[in-house]
Amino acid sequence: MLHRPDAPALRRIETEDGGLAYYEWPGDPSAPLAVFLHATGFHGRVWDQTIRALPPGYRALALDLPGHGQSGRRGPIAAWADSVAPVVAALDGLAIEGALAIGHSMGGYLAAMAALERPAAFRGLMFIDPV
């Protein structure tokens, strides 16, 4: 059974790299947060079905990583490591603490690297097809 029929709000957080778009699903602001990070070539809305199936009591946020979806990028992405700083800037700008990070491929890499720089941002990490 799907628990989240509502469409997310498209929002934007400015970073030195031109800013990141993110999608925020309606939910109780005091509920635990799950942050979703997609794989190369995808975008934040790839997580729609997964987020709809989350158990009640979670909020959800999905980033469009640099150069993907609605997010900008100044110059080409030469390596995944180039995207760590904008993700960390988004975590800081959104004051994310104690969230569960779910990352697929590049998203898992970025979640791990961001967690090293901002340990308080995530209480747990889930990797799908990590590289």
Side-chain angles (χ1 to χ4, degrees):
M1 179 173 166
L2 300 181
H3 301 289
R4 266 174 241 293
D6 300 321
L10 173 59
R11 302 189 193 289
R12 187 162 187 81
I13 182 99
E14 291 307 316
T15 67
E16 289 182 17
D17 269 15
L20 293 180
Y22 66 95
Y23 301 91
E24 188 171 15
W25 278 258
D28 178 354
S30 66
L33 177 65
V35 176
F36 292 83
L37 304 166
H38 62 78
T40 303
F42 292 94
H43 52 78
R45 295 296 304 271
V46 74
W47 295 105
D48 283 6
Q49 294 300 319
T50 303
I51 290 168
R52 284 188 187 112
L54 280 175
Y58 271 92
R59 294 181 299 132
L61 182 145
L63 293 174
D64 274 350
L65 296 171
H68 293 78
Q70 301 295 316
S71 288
R73 177 70 187 189
R74 293 189 182 128
I77 299 171
W80 287 356
D82 295 343
S83 295
V84 174
V87 169
V88 169
L91 295 173
D92 290 347
L94 296 169
I96 291 176
E97 289 188 13
L100 171 62
I102 298 104
H104 174 214
S105 189
M106 175 182 69
Y109 168 85
L110 292 173
M113 295 299 103
L116 287 173
E117 292 196 33
R118 297 294 186 273
F122 302 123
R123 66 177 169 84
L125 303 168
M126 177 189 291
F127 302 133
I128 301 162
D129 191 24
V131 178

